[in-house]
PDB file of all heavy atoms in Angstrom:
ATOM      1  N   ARG A  61     -23.545  73.535  31.597  1.00  0.00           N
ATOM      2  CA  ARG A  61     -23.220  73.616  33.017  1.00  0.00           C
ATOM      3  C   ARG A  61     -23.372  75.042  33.531  1.00  0.00           C
ATOM      4  O   ARG A  61     -23.870  75.267  34.647  1.00  0.00           O
ATOM      5  CB  ARG A  61     -21.790  73.112  33.259  1.00  0.00           C
ATOM      6  CG  ARG A  61     -21.328  73.191  34.712  1.00  0.00           C
ATOM      7  CD  ARG A  61     -22.225  72.407  35.638  1.00  0.00           C
ATOM      8  NE  ARG A  61     -21.728  72.421  37.018  1.00  0.00           N
ATOM      9  CZ  ARG A  61     -22.498  72.176  38.065  1.00  0.00           C
ATOM     10  NH1 ARG A  61     -23.785  71.892  37.920  1.00  0.00           N
ATOM     11  NH2 ARG A  61     -21.970  72.196  39.291  1.00  0.00           N
ATOM     12  N   GLY A  62     -22.957  76.010  32.737  1.00  0.00           N
ATOM     13  CA  GLY A  62     -23.113  77.402  33.147  1.00  0.00           C
ATOM     14  C   GLY A  62     -24.554  77.780  33.353  1.00  0.00           C
ATOM     15  O   GLY A  62     -24.927  78.446  34.338  1.00  0.00           O
ATOM     16  N   ALA A  63     -25.419  77.368  32.426  1.00  0.00           N
ATOM     17  CA  ALA A  63     -26.846  77.655  32.556  1.00  0.00           C
ATOM     18  C   ALA A  63     -27.415  76.982  33.805  1.00  0.00           C
ATOM     19  O   ALA A  63     -28.245  77.565  34.515  1.00  0.00           O
ATOM     20  CB  ALA A  63     -27.590  77.178  31.319  1.00  0.00           C
ATOM     21  N   GLU A  64     -26.947  75.777  34.089  1.00  0.00           N
ATOM     22  CA  GLU A  64     -27.409  75.056  35.275  1.00  0.00           C
ATOM     23  C   GLU A  64     -26.996  75.782  36.555  1.00  0.00           C
ATOM     24  O   GLU A  64     -27.804  75.941  37.484  1.00  0.00           O
ATOM     25  CB  GLU A  64     -26.834  73.636  35.264  1.00  0.00           C
ATOM     26  CG  GLU A  64     -27.260  72.774  36.433  1.00  0.00           C
ATOM     27  CD  GLU A  64     -26.625  71.394  36.402  1.00  0.00           C
ATOM     28  OE1 GLU A  64     -25.715  71.167  35.592  1.00  0.00           O
ATOM     29  OE2 GLU A  64     -27.049  70.541  37.202  1.00  0.00           O
ATOM     30  N   LEU A  65     -25.734  76.241  36.614  1.00  0.00           N
ATOM     31  CA  LEU A  65     -25.251  76.936  37.804  1.00  0.00           C
ATOM     32  C   LEU A  65     -26.031  78.227  38.044  1.00  0.00           C
ATOM     33  O   LEU A  65     -26.388  78.556  39.185  1.00  0.00           O
ATOM     34  CB  LEU A  65     -23.758  77.251  37.657  1.00  0.00           C
ATOM     35  CG  LEU A  65     -22.806  76.063  37.737  1.00  0.00           C
ATOM     36  CD1 LEU A  65     -21.389  76.490  37.335  1.00  0.00           C
ATOM     37  CD2 LEU A  65     -22.806  75.457  39.136  1.00  0.00           C
ATOM     38  N   ILE A  66     -26.290  78.958  36.977  1.00  0.00           N
ATOM     39  CA  ILE A  66     -27.035  80.213  37.116  1.00  0.00           C
ATOM     40  C   ILE A  66     -28.463  79.942  37.575  1.00  0.00           C
ATOM     41  O   ILE A  66     -28.993  80.623  38.466  1.00  0.00           O
ATOM     42  CB  ILE A  66     -27.000  80.995  35.792  1.00  0.00           C
ATOM     43  CG1 ILE A  66     -25.574  81.480  35.502  1.00  0.00           C
ATOM     44  CG2 ILE A  66     -27.968  82.179  35.841  1.00  0.00           C
ATOM     45  CD1 ILE A  66     -25.384  82.014  34.100  1.00  0.00           C
ATOM     46  N   ALA A  67     -29.090  78.940  36.989  1.00  0.00           N
ATOM     47  CA  ALA A  67     -30.452  78.595  37.382  1.00  0.00           C
ATOM     48  C   ALA A  67     -30.521  78.190  38.858  1.00  0.00           C
ATOM     49  O   ALA A  67     -31.424  78.606  39.594  1.00  0.00           O
ATOM     50  CB  ALA A  67     -30.987  77.476  36.499  1.00  0.00           C
ATOM     51  N   GLN A  68     -29.549  77.411  39.296  1.00  0.00           N
ATOM     52  CA  GLN A  68     -29.522  76.981  40.696  1.00  0.00           C
ATOM     53  C   GLN A  68     -29.324  78.155  41.646  1.00  0.00           C
ATOM     54  O   GLN A  68     -29.833  78.146  42.772  1.00  0.00           O
ATOM     55  CB  GLN A  68     -28.412  75.953  40.899  1.00  0.00           C
ATOM     56  CG  GLN A  68     -28.674  74.610  40.257  1.00  0.00           C
ATOM     57  CD  GLN A  68     -27.471  73.682  40.305  1.00  0.00           C
ATOM     58  OE1 GLN A  68     -26.359  74.090  40.665  1.00  0.00           O
ATOM     59  NE2 GLN A  68     -27.680  72.415  39.952  1.00  0.00           N
ATOM     60  N   SER A  69     -28.596  79.171  41.202  1.00  0.00           N
ATOM     61  CA  SER A  69     -28.317  80.334  42.048  1.00  0.00           C
ATOM     62  C   SER A  69     -29.526  81.258  42.191  1.00  0.00           C
ATOM     63  O   SER A  69     -29.591  82.062  43.115  1.00  0.00           O
ATOM     64  CB  SER A  69     -27.154  81.145  41.476  1.00  0.00           C
ATOM     65  OG  SER A  69     -27.554  81.866  40.310  1.00  0.00           O
ATOM     66  N   GLY A  70     -30.450  81.175  41.238  1.00  0.00           N
ATOM     67  CA  GLY A  70     -31.595  82.076  41.230  1.00  0.00           C
ATOM     68  C   GLY A  70     -31.324  83.423  40.586  1.00  0.00           C
ATOM     69  O   GLY A  70     -32.195  84.297  40.586  1.00  0.00           O
ATOM     70  N   LEU A  71     -30.134  83.602  40.022  1.00  0.00           N
ATOM     71  CA  LEU A  71     -29.798  84.875  39.382  1.00  0.00           C
ATOM     72  C   LEU A  71     -30.500  85.028  38.033  1.00  0.00           C
ATOM     73  O   LEU A  71     -30.695  84.059  37.302  1.00  0.00           O
ATOM     74  CB  LEU A  71     -28.294  84.979  39.155  1.00  0.00           C
ATOM     75  CG  LEU A  71     -27.383  85.076  40.387  1.00  0.00           C
ATOM     76  CD1 LEU A  71     -25.927  85.032  39.955  1.00  0.00           C
ATOM     77  CD2 LEU A  71     -27.670  86.350  41.165  1.00  0.00           C
ATOM     78  N   ARG A  72     -30.853  86.266  37.714  1.00  0.00           N
ATOM     79  CA  ARG A  72     -31.243  86.600  36.347  1.00  0.00           C
ATOM     80  C   ARG A  72     -29.978  86.836  35.527  1.00  0.00           C
ATOM     81  O   ARG A  72     -28.920  87.170  36.073  1.00  0.00           O
ATOM     82  CB  ARG A  72     -32.092  87.876  36.331  1.00  0.00           C
ATOM     83  CG  ARG A  72     -33.388  87.797  37.135  1.00  0.00           C
ATOM     84  CD  ARG A  72     -34.204  89.073  36.987  1.00  0.00           C
ATOM     85  NE  ARG A  72     -33.497  90.268  37.458  1.00  0.00           N
ATOM     86  CZ  ARG A  72     -33.505  90.690  38.710  1.00  0.00           C
ATOM     87  NH1 ARG A  72     -34.120  89.998  39.661  1.00  0.00           N
ATOM     88  NH2 ARG A  72     -32.869  91.798  39.053  1.00  0.00           N
ATOM     89  N   VAL A  73     -30.101  86.713  34.205  1.00  0.00           N
ATOM     90  CA  VAL A  73     -28.987  87.031  33.308  1.00  0.00           C
ATOM     91  C   VAL A  73     -29.392  88.261  32.512  1.00  0.00           C
ATOM     92  O   VAL A  73     -30.250  88.203  31.633  1.00  0.00           O
ATOM     93  CB  VAL A  73     -28.632  85.862  32.372  1.00  0.00           C
ATOM     94  CG1 VAL A  73     -27.432  86.234  31.496  1.00  0.00           C
ATOM     95  CG2 VAL A  73     -28.331  84.601  33.184  1.00  0.00           C
ATOM     96  N   SER A  74     -28.774  89.387  32.837  1.00  0.00           N
ATOM     97  CA  SER A  74     -29.157  90.657  32.193  1.00  0.00           C
ATOM     98  C   SER A  74     -28.650  90.753  30.772  1.00  0.00           C
ATOM     99  O   SER A  74     -29.252  91.438  29.942  1.00  0.00           O
ATOM    100  CB  SER A  74     -28.655  91.843  33.024  1.00  0.00           C
ATOM    101  OG  SER A  74     -27.271  91.737  33.256  1.00  0.00           O
ATOM    102  N   SER A  75     -27.537  90.082  30.465  1.00  0.00           N
ATOM    103  CA  SER A  75     -27.020  90.103  29.102  1.00  0.00           C
ATOM    104  C   SER A  75     -25.978  89.012  28.942  1.00  0.00           C
ATOM    105  O   SER A  75     -25.422  88.509  29.930  1.00  0.00           O
ATOM    106  CB  SER A  75     -26.385  91.456  28.762  1.00  0.00           C
ATOM    107  OG  SER A  75     -25.143  91.610  29.446  1.00  0.00           O
ATOM    108  N   LEU A  76     -25.724  88.661  27.702  1.00  0.00           N
ATOM    109  CA  LEU A  76     -24.540  87.878  27.336  1.00  0.00           C
ATOM    110  C   LEU A  76     -23.666  88.786  26.491  1.00  0.00           C
ATOM    111  O   LEU A  76     -24.122  89.403  25.530  1.00  0.00           O
ATOM    112  CB  LEU A  76     -24.912  86.625  26.551  1.00  0.00           C
ATOM    113  CG  LEU A  76     -23.717  85.744  26.143  1.00  0.00           C
ATOM    114  CD1 LEU A  76     -23.026  85.139  27.361  1.00  0.00           C
ATOM    115  CD2 LEU A  76     -24.151  84.644  25.177  1.00  0.00           C
ATOM    116  N   CYS A  77     -22.396  88.862  26.866  1.00  0.00           N
ATOM    117  CA  CYS A  77     -21.419  89.662  26.127  1.00  0.00           C
ATOM    118  C   CYS A  77     -20.355  88.727  25.539  1.00  0.00           C
ATOM    119  O   CYS A  77     -19.836  87.888  26.275  1.00  0.00           O
ATOM    120  CB  CYS A  77     -20.725  90.661  27.041  1.00  0.00           C
ATOM    121  SG  CYS A  77     -21.798  91.944  27.740  1.00  0.00           S
ATOM    122  N   ARG A  78     -20.012  88.819  24.353  1.00  0.00           N
ATOM    123  CA  ARG A  78     -20.653  89.656  23.393  1.00  0.00           C
ATOM    124  C   ARG A  78     -20.636  88.961  22.043  1.00  0.00           C
ATOM    125  O   ARG A  78     -19.838  88.059  21.790  1.00  0.00           O
ATOM    126  CB  ARG A  78     -19.950  91.030  23.301  1.00  0.00           C
ATOM    127  CG  ARG A  78     -18.498  90.942  22.842  1.00  0.00           C
ATOM    128  CD  ARG A  78     -17.782  92.247  23.027  1.00  0.00           C
ATOM    129  NE  ARG A  78     -16.473  92.242  22.411  1.00  0.00           N
ATOM    130  CZ  ARG A  78     -15.357  91.780  22.949  1.00  0.00           C
ATOM    131  NH1 ARG A  78     -15.405  91.255  24.158  1.00  0.00           N
ATOM    132  NH2 ARG A  78     -14.214  91.800  22.313  1.00  0.00           N
ATOM    133  N   GLY A  79     -21.511  89.410  21.164  1.00  0.00           N
ATOM    134  CA  GLY A  79     -21.446  89.061  19.759  1.00  0.00           C
ATOM    135  C   GLY A  79     -20.930  90.269  18.999  1.00  0.00           C
ATOM    136  O   GLY A  79     -20.488  91.257  19.575  1.00  0.00           O
ATOM    137  N   GLY A  80     -21.032  90.179  17.669  1.00  0.00           N
ATOM    138  CA  GLY A  80     -20.636  91.317  16.850  1.00  0.00           C
ATOM    139  C   GLY A  80     -19.374  91.110  16.062  1.00  0.00           C
ATOM    140  O   GLY A  80     -19.126  90.038  15.510  1.00  0.00           O
ATOM    141  N   PHE A  81     -18.561  92.188  15.980  1.00  0.00           N
ATOM    142  CA  PHE A  81     -17.371  92.232  15.140  1.00  0.00           C
ATOM    143  C   PHE A  81     -17.717  91.772  13.727  1.00  0.00           C
ATOM    144  O   PHE A  81     -17.056  90.922  13.131  1.00  0.00           O
ATOM    145  CB  PHE A  81     -16.220  91.443  15.779  1.00  0.00           C
ATOM    146  CG  PHE A  81     -15.682  92.145  17.001  1.00  0.00           C
ATOM    147  CD1 PHE A  81     -16.191  91.869  18.257  1.00  0.00           C
ATOM    148  CD2 PHE A  81     -14.716  93.129  16.877  1.00  0.00           C
ATOM    149  CE1 PHE A  81     -15.740  92.563  19.383  1.00  0.00           C
ATOM    150  CE2 PHE A  81     -14.246  93.823  17.989  1.00  0.00           C
ATOM    151  CZ  PHE A  81     -14.756  93.530  19.248  1.00  0.00           C
ATOM    152  N   PHE A  82     -18.785  92.397  13.225  1.00  0.00           N
ATOM    153  CA  PHE A  82     -19.338  92.037  11.928  1.00  0.00           C
ATOM    154  C   PHE A  82     -18.410  92.375  10.765  1.00  0.00           C
ATOM    155  O   PHE A  82     -18.589  91.860   9.661  1.00  0.00           O
ATOM    156  CB  PHE A  82     -20.665  92.779  11.709  1.00  0.00           C
ATOM    157  CG  PHE A  82     -21.767  92.379  12.650  1.00  0.00           C
ATOM    158  CD1 PHE A  82     -22.896  93.184  12.766  1.00  0.00           C
ATOM    159  CD2 PHE A  82     -21.721  91.203  13.387  1.00  0.00           C
ATOM    160  CE1 PHE A  82     -23.944  92.825  13.611  1.00  0.00           C
ATOM    161  CE2 PHE A  82     -22.748  90.838  14.233  1.00  0.00           C
ATOM    162  CZ  PHE A  82     -23.866  91.657  14.339  1.00  0.00           C
ATOM    163  N   THR A  83     -17.467  93.264  10.974  1.00  0.00           N
ATOM    164  CA  THR A  83     -16.622  93.741   9.882  1.00  0.00           C
ATOM    165  C   THR A  83     -15.381  92.876   9.682  1.00  0.00           C
ATOM    166  O   THR A  83     -14.475  93.249   8.932  1.00  0.00           O
ATOM    167  CB  THR A  83     -16.187  95.195  10.143  1.00  0.00           C
ATOM    168  OG1 THR A  83     -15.545  95.276  11.432  1.00  0.00           O
ATOM    169  CG2 THR A  83     -17.398  96.137  10.126  1.00  0.00           C
ATOM    170  N   GLY A  84     -15.319  91.727  10.331  1.00  0.00           N
ATOM    171  CA  GLY A  84     -14.203  90.814  10.149  1.00  0.00           C
ATOM    172  C   GLY A  84     -14.093  90.329   8.718  1.00  0.00           C
ATOM    173  O   GLY A  84     -15.078  90.357   7.952  1.00  0.00           O
ATOM    174  N   PRO A  85     -12.902  89.846   8.312  1.00  0.00           N
ATOM    175  CA  PRO A  85     -12.671  89.501   6.901  1.00  0.00           C
ATOM    176  C   PRO A  85     -13.390  88.253   6.420  1.00  0.00           C
ATOM    177  O   PRO A  85     -13.622  88.107   5.216  1.00  0.00           O
ATOM    178  CB  PRO A  85     -11.146  89.316   6.854  1.00  0.00           C
ATOM    179  CG  PRO A  85     -10.759  88.922   8.245  1.00  0.00           C
ATOM    180  CD  PRO A  85     -11.693  89.673   9.137  1.00  0.00           C
ATOM    181  N   ASP A  86     -13.753  87.345   7.324  1.00  0.00           N
ATOM    182  CA  ASP A  86     -14.356  86.073   6.945  1.00  0.00           C
ATOM    183  C   ASP A  86     -15.839  86.100   7.322  1.00  0.00           C
ATOM    184  O   ASP A  86     -16.204  85.832   8.456  1.00  0.00           O
ATOM    185  CB  ASP A  86     -13.625  84.921   7.665  1.00  0.00           C
ATOM    186  CG  ASP A  86     -14.089  83.547   7.220  1.00  0.00           C
ATOM    187  OD1 ASP A  86     -15.218  83.434   6.707  1.00  0.00           O
ATOM    188  OD2 ASP A  86     -13.321  82.581   7.415  1.00  0.00           O
ATOM    189  N   ARG A  87     -16.689  86.441   6.367  1.00  0.00           N
ATOM    190  CA  ARG A  87     -18.120  86.586   6.649  1.00  0.00           C
ATOM    191  C   ARG A  87     -18.719  85.299   7.208  1.00  0.00           C
ATOM    192  O   ARG A  87     -19.527  85.339   8.129  1.00  0.00           O
ATOM    193  CB  ARG A  87     -18.858  87.025   5.379  1.00  0.00           C
ATOM    194  CG  ARG A  87     -20.377  87.143   5.501  1.00  0.00           C
ATOM    195  CD  ARG A  87     -20.808  88.324   6.349  1.00  0.00           C
ATOM    196  NE  ARG A  87     -20.432  89.581   5.749  1.00  0.00           N
ATOM    197  CZ  ARG A  87     -21.183  90.270   4.868  1.00  0.00           C
ATOM    198  NH1 ARG A  87     -22.368  89.834   4.506  1.00  0.00           N
ATOM    199  NH2 ARG A  87     -20.754  91.427   4.375  1.00  0.00           N
ATOM    200  N   ALA A  88     -18.338  84.157   6.651  1.00  0.00           N
ATOM    201  CA  ALA A  88     -18.892  82.886   7.131  1.00  0.00           C
ATOM    202  C   ALA A  88     -18.538  82.655   8.590  1.00  0.00           C
ATOM    203  O   ALA A  88     -19.375  82.201   9.381  1.00  0.00           O
ATOM    204  CB  ALA A  88     -18.399  81.733   6.264  1.00  0.00           C
ATOM    205  N   ALA A  89     -17.304  82.964   8.963  1.00  0.00           N
ATOM    206  CA  ALA A  89     -16.880  82.784  10.351  1.00  0.00           C
ATOM    207  C   ALA A  89     -17.609  83.756  11.267  1.00  0.00           C
ATOM    208  O   ALA A  89     -17.991  83.397  12.393  1.00  0.00           O
ATOM    209  CB  ALA A  89     -15.371  82.972  10.471  1.00  0.00           C
ATOM    210  N   VAL A  90     -17.801  84.980  10.814  1.00  0.00           N
ATOM    211  CA  VAL A  90     -18.532  85.976  11.606  1.00  0.00           C
ATOM    212  C   VAL A  90     -19.957  85.495  11.881  1.00  0.00           C
ATOM    213  O   VAL A  90     -20.452  85.547  13.010  1.00  0.00           O
ATOM    214  CB  VAL A  90     -18.541  87.334  10.885  1.00  0.00           C
ATOM    215  CG1 VAL A  90     -19.549  88.289  11.518  1.00  0.00           C
ATOM    216  CG2 VAL A  90     -17.144  87.955  10.901  1.00  0.00           C
ATOM    217  N   LEU A  91     -20.613  85.013  10.842  1.00  0.00           N
ATOM    218  CA  LEU A  91     -21.994  84.540  11.002  1.00  0.00           C
ATOM    219  C   LEU A  91     -22.054  83.324  11.913  1.00  0.00           C
ATOM    220  O   LEU A  91     -22.937  83.229  12.771  1.00  0.00           O
ATOM    221  CB  LEU A  91     -22.585  84.224   9.633  1.00  0.00           C
ATOM    222  CG  LEU A  91     -22.879  85.427   8.730  1.00  0.00           C
ATOM    223  CD1 LEU A  91     -23.235  84.961   7.324  1.00  0.00           C
ATOM    224  CD2 LEU A  91     -23.996  86.284   9.306  1.00  0.00           C
ATOM    225  N   ALA A  92     -21.116  82.409  11.743  1.00  0.00           N
ATOM    226  CA  ALA A  92     -21.120  81.194  12.567  1.00  0.00           C
ATOM    227  C   ALA A  92     -20.917  81.532  14.040  1.00  0.00           C
ATOM    228  O   ALA A  92     -21.601  80.991  14.923  1.00  0.00           O
ATOM    229  CB  ALA A  92     -20.047  80.229  12.088  1.00  0.00           C
ATOM    230  N   ASP A  93     -19.974  82.427  14.327  1.00  0.00           N
ATOM    231  CA  ASP A  93     -19.708  82.787  15.720  1.00  0.00           C
ATOM    232  C   ASP A  93     -20.897  83.496  16.335  1.00  0.00           C
ATOM    233  O   ASP A  93     -21.266  83.231  17.495  1.00  0.00           O
ATOM    234  CB  ASP A  93     -18.464  83.672  15.790  1.00  0.00           C
ATOM    235  CG  ASP A  93     -18.127  84.043  17.233  1.00  0.00           C
ATOM    236  OD1 ASP A  93     -17.819  83.129  18.020  1.00  0.00           O
ATOM    237  OD2 ASP A  93     -18.187  85.234  17.579  1.00  0.00           O
ATOM    238  N   ASN A  94     -21.529  84.362  15.582  1.00  0.00           N
ATOM    239  CA  ASN A  94     -22.674  85.088  16.126  1.00  0.00           C
ATOM    240  C   ASN A  94     -23.894  84.198  16.283  1.00  0.00           C
ATOM    241  O   ASN A  94     -24.676  84.371  17.220  1.00  0.00           O
ATOM    242  CB  ASN A  94     -22.979  86.312  15.273  1.00  0.00           C
ATOM    243  CG  ASN A  94     -22.090  87.489  15.618  1.00  0.00           C
ATOM    244  OD1 ASN A  94     -22.358  88.208  16.567  1.00  0.00           O
ATOM    245  ND2 ASN A  94     -21.017  87.669  14.861  1.00  0.00           N
ATOM    246  N   ARG A  95     -24.061  83.222  15.414  1.00  0.00           N
ATOM    247  CA  ARG A  95     -25.154  82.259  15.614  1.00  0.00           C
ATOM    248  C   ARG A  95     -24.912  81.441  16.879  1.00  0.00           C
ATOM    249  O   ARG A  95     -25.850  81.149  17.626  1.00  0.00           O
ATOM    250  CB  ARG A  95     -25.298  81.382  14.385  1.00  0.00           C
ATOM    251  CG  ARG A  95     -25.914  82.119  13.186  1.00  0.00           C
ATOM    252  CD  ARG A  95     -26.023  81.263  11.961  1.00  0.00           C
ATOM    253  NE  ARG A  95     -26.578  82.024  10.842  1.00  0.00           N
ATOM    254  CZ  ARG A  95     -26.049  82.056   9.618  1.00  0.00           C
ATOM    255  NH1 ARG A  95     -24.948  81.372   9.349  1.00  0.00           N
ATOM    256  NH2 ARG A  95     -26.618  82.774   8.676  1.00  0.00           N
ATOM    257  N   SER A  96     -23.653  81.082  17.118  1.00  0.00           N
ATOM    258  CA  SER A  96     -23.331  80.382  18.369  1.00  0.00           C
ATOM    259  C   SER A  96     -23.649  81.262  19.567  1.00  0.00           C
ATOM    260  O   SER A  96     -24.178  80.782  20.585  1.00  0.00           O
ATOM    261  CB  SER A  96     -21.848  79.988  18.387  1.00  0.00           C
ATOM    262  OG  SER A  96     -21.568  79.015  17.413  1.00  0.00           O
ATOM    263  N   ALA A  97     -23.317  82.550  19.485  1.00  0.00           N
ATOM    264  CA  ALA A  97     -23.604  83.475  20.577  1.00  0.00           C
ATOM    265  C   ALA A  97     -25.113  83.592  20.810  1.00  0.00           C
ATOM    266  O   ALA A  97     -25.575  83.680  21.957  1.00  0.00           O
ATOM    267  CB  ALA A  97     -23.008  84.846  20.279  1.00  0.00           C
ATOM    268  N   ILE A  98     -25.880  83.593  19.742  1.00  0.00           N
ATOM    269  CA  ILE A  98     -27.343  83.640  19.876  1.00  0.00           C
ATOM    270  C   ILE A  98     -27.847  82.378  20.570  1.00  0.00           C
ATOM    271  O   ILE A  98     -28.694  82.436  21.467  1.00  0.00           O
ATOM    272  CB  ILE A  98     -27.992  83.811  18.482  1.00  0.00           C
ATOM    273  CG1 ILE A  98     -27.706  85.229  17.950  1.00  0.00           C
ATOM    274  CG2 ILE A  98     -29.495  83.549  18.546  1.00  0.00           C
ATOM    275  CD1 ILE A  98     -28.043  85.426  16.488  1.00  0.00           C
ATOM    276  N   ASP A  99     -27.319  81.224  20.178  1.00  0.00           N
ATOM    277  CA  ASP A  99     -27.703  79.973  20.836  1.00  0.00           C
ATOM    278  C   ASP A  99     -27.367  79.996  22.329  1.00  0.00           C
ATOM    279  O   ASP A  99     -28.149  79.523  23.165  1.00  0.00           O
ATOM    280  CB  ASP A  99     -26.999  78.793  20.161  1.00  0.00           C
ATOM    281  CG  ASP A  99     -27.475  78.540  18.743  1.00  0.00           C
ATOM    282  OD1 ASP A  99     -28.577  79.010  18.385  1.00  0.00           O
ATOM    283  OD2 ASP A  99     -26.745  77.873  17.976  1.00  0.00           O
ATOM    284  N   GLU A 100     -26.195  80.538  22.667  1.00  0.00           N
ATOM    285  CA  GLU A 100     -25.790  80.624  24.077  1.00  0.00           C
ATOM    286  C   GLU A 100     -26.718  81.550  24.847  1.00  0.00           C
ATOM    287  O   GLU A 100     -27.086  81.272  26.003  1.00  0.00           O
ATOM    288  CB  GLU A 100     -24.344  81.115  24.159  1.00  0.00           C
ATOM    289  CG  GLU A 100     -23.329  80.127  23.603  1.00  0.00           C
ATOM    290  CD  GLU A 100     -22.003  80.778  23.248  1.00  0.00           C
ATOM    291  OE1 GLU A 100     -21.731  81.898  23.732  1.00  0.00           O
ATOM    292  OE2 GLU A 100     -21.239  80.172  22.483  1.00  0.00           O
ATOM    293  N   THR A 101     -27.109  82.645  24.223  1.00  0.00           N
ATOM    294  CA  THR A 101     -28.033  83.587  24.867  1.00  0.00           C
ATOM    295  C   THR A 101     -29.362  82.908  25.162  1.00  0.00           C
ATOM    296  O   THR A 101     -29.929  83.068  26.261  1.00  0.00           O
ATOM    297  CB  THR A 101     -28.263  84.807  23.951  1.00  0.00           C
ATOM    298  OG1 THR A 101     -26.995  85.372  23.588  1.00  0.00           O
ATOM    299  CG2 THR A 101     -29.090  85.873  24.651  1.00  0.00           C
TER     300      THR A 101
END
Side-chain angles (χ1 to χ4, degrees):
R61 178 58 177 159
E64 181 182 10
L65 289 170
I66 292 168
Q68 290 172 350
S69 73
L71 293 174
R72 300 184 299 273
V73 182
S74 54
S75 72
L76 181 66
C77 295
R78 62 191 189 276
F81 290 91
F82 294 165
T83 55
D86 186 338
R87 177 71 64 89
V90 167
L91 290 170
D93 181 63
N94 278 278
R95 287 178 182 131
S96 293
I98 290 168
D99 292 341
E100 293 160 18
T101 307

